[in-house]
Amino acid sequence: LAQVCRKLEEMAPEDIALWIESFLSQTSSQLKAVDRRNLTFAQQQETILAGVAALQSEYKGAVEKEETIQKMTERMAELEGSSQQIRYDAAQLAAEKRFNETFSQVQEYFTPQEAEVYKKGDQLVIRLKAMRFAVGKSEITPDNYDLLAKVQKAIGAFGKPEVVIEGHTDATGSAQKNEALSESRAEAVRQYLLANYTVQADRVSAMGFGATHPIASNETAEGRAQNRRIDVIIQAKKPGR
C-alpha cells in the first residue's frame, strides 16, 4: 500500500484516472464483461463484482456436478457389484440344487450292501462296501466289474468332476505295508477308470491311508472288514470352474 501511495503522489490526476480505468478495463476483459468505462467507478466495480460472483457460481456448479457424477459412478459400481453377487448367488443355488438332485440319483445306483453314498460339504462320497481284493493283493477281479460300472455311471452323472480314490486297510500287518497296499489298491481303481475312459488323468488321483482312518473297531472280523474299503470322492464342479 505504501508503494502504491507513493506512486499515486507522483502521478497527475489524469494519469491516476487512466491507470484506474486501465485496471478496471483489463479486469472486465478477463471476466468477459461488457466494457463500461463510460460508467462511474462504483458502477464499474459493481459490474466486476457481479462477474466474479457469476464465475464463483459457475465453479460451484461445476464442482457440484462433478461430485454428482462421482456419486453416480460409485452407485453404479455398487449396483454392478450387487448384480454380480446376485448372479453368483443364483449360480451357487443352481449348482447346489443340481448337486442334491444328482446325489439322490446316484444313491439309487447302489444297494445298501454295495455302497454307502453320502454328502460331505460339496463332495459326494461313495464308500464301496462290496469292493473285494484278494488278501494282500491289489488286482481288480471280475467280480468287482458290476460295482465299478455303477461308480463310472455315478461319476458321469456329474459331468467332468474331479475324483479322488482313497484306499484303506484294517490294522492287520505293519503300518508301512498297509499304507503301500492301500495306495496300490486305490491306484488300481484309478487305472481301471482311466482304462474305461471314465475320467481324464489330470482329474483323478489315488491316495492310500493304510489303517489310519478306521470307521470301525479292528478288534472284530466285522470291524476289520468295514475298514478294508475304497472310498470314491467326487468333487462337484463349482460355478465358474
Side-chain angles (χ1 to χ4, degrees):
L1 285 174
Q3 289 177 352
V4 173
C5 288
R6 284 195 295 269
K7 180 178 180 180
L8 291 175
E9 288 177 354
E10 297 171 356
M11 296 173 64
E14 293 82 0
D15 293 333
I16 294 174
L18 290 172
W19 179 68
I20 294 176
E21 183 180 83
S22 175
F23 172 77
L24 294 174
S25 175
Q26 290 178 23
T27 305
S28 297
S29 177
Q30 289 296 317
L31 292 173
K32 294 182 171 51
V34 178
D35 187 351
R36 297 196 174 189
R37 281 179 287 181
N38 59 325
L39 301 178
T40 65
F41 178 85
Q43 290 174 323
Q44 292 185 61
Q45 182 185 33
E46 183 180 348
T47 300
I48 291 172
L49 292 176
V52 172
L55 285 176
Q56 290 177 329
S57 178
E58 184 178 339
Y59 175 76
K60 181 180 179 182
V63 171
E64 290 176 348
K65 184 181 294 184
E66 181 65 26
E67 291 175 348
T68 300
I69 291 173
Q70 180 64 28
K71 289 179 180 179
M72 291 178 65
T73 302
E74 292 174 355
R75 181 55 179 161
M76 288 175 64
E78 290 177 3
L79 292 174
E80 177 63 22
S82 297
S83 177
Q84 291 179 352
Q85 185 63 46
I86 290 172
R87 289 195 295 270
Y88 176 79
D89 291 343
Q92 288 285 88
L93 289 173
E96 185 176 348
K97 182 175 182 291
R98 288 193 302 271
F99 177 80
N100 290 330
E101 290 174 347
T102 307
F103 166 69
S104 299
Q105 177 183 338
V106 169
Q107 276 188 313
E108 297 178 358
Y109 295 166
F110 303 90
T111 66
Q113 293 74 32
E114 290 176 325
E116 177 186 357
V117 182
Y118 63 93
K119 291 186 292 184
K120 184 179 180 181
D122 59 354
Q123 297 176 333
L124 181 139
V125 180
I126 305 174
R127 178 156 290 162
L128 299 178
K129 297 160 65 175
M131 188 78 186
R132 294 289 180 265
F133 292 94
V135 177
K137 303 294 183 181
S138 59
E139 291 78 12
I140 294 177
T141 56
D143 57 326
N144 291 306
Y145 290 170
D146 287 343
L147 180 61
L148 290 176
K150 294 181 179 182
V151 172
Q152 291 176 257
K153 186 178 179 182
I155 294 173
F158 284 92
K160 295 181 179 180
E162 294 181 358
V163 180
V164 177
I165 312 298
E166 292 185 353
H168 302 270
T169 66
D170 60 31
T172 304
S174 70
Q176 184 177 3
K177 287 185 177 179
N178 285 332
E179 183 178 349
L181 180 61
S182 64
E183 185 173 349
S184 178
R185 287 175 174 177
E187 180 60 26
V189 175
R190 177 178 180 273
Q191 291 299 327
Y192 180 91
L193 297 177
L194 291 176
N196 286 276
Y197 306 102
T198 306
V199 63
Q200 296 177 342
D202 61 346
R203 300 189 72 83
V204 58
S205 59
M207 304 175 68
F209 293 93
T212 59
H213 291 16
I215 58 174
S217 172
N218 280 297
E219 300 301 319
T220 65
E222 181 181 354
R224 290 192 293 274
Q226 292 181 53
N227 291 331
R228 295 190 298 270
R229 68 192 189 279
I230 291 290
D231 288 346
V232 179
I233 302 173
I234 301 174
Q235 174 68 61
K237 188 175 180 181
K238 297 180 180 179
R241 290 181 58 187

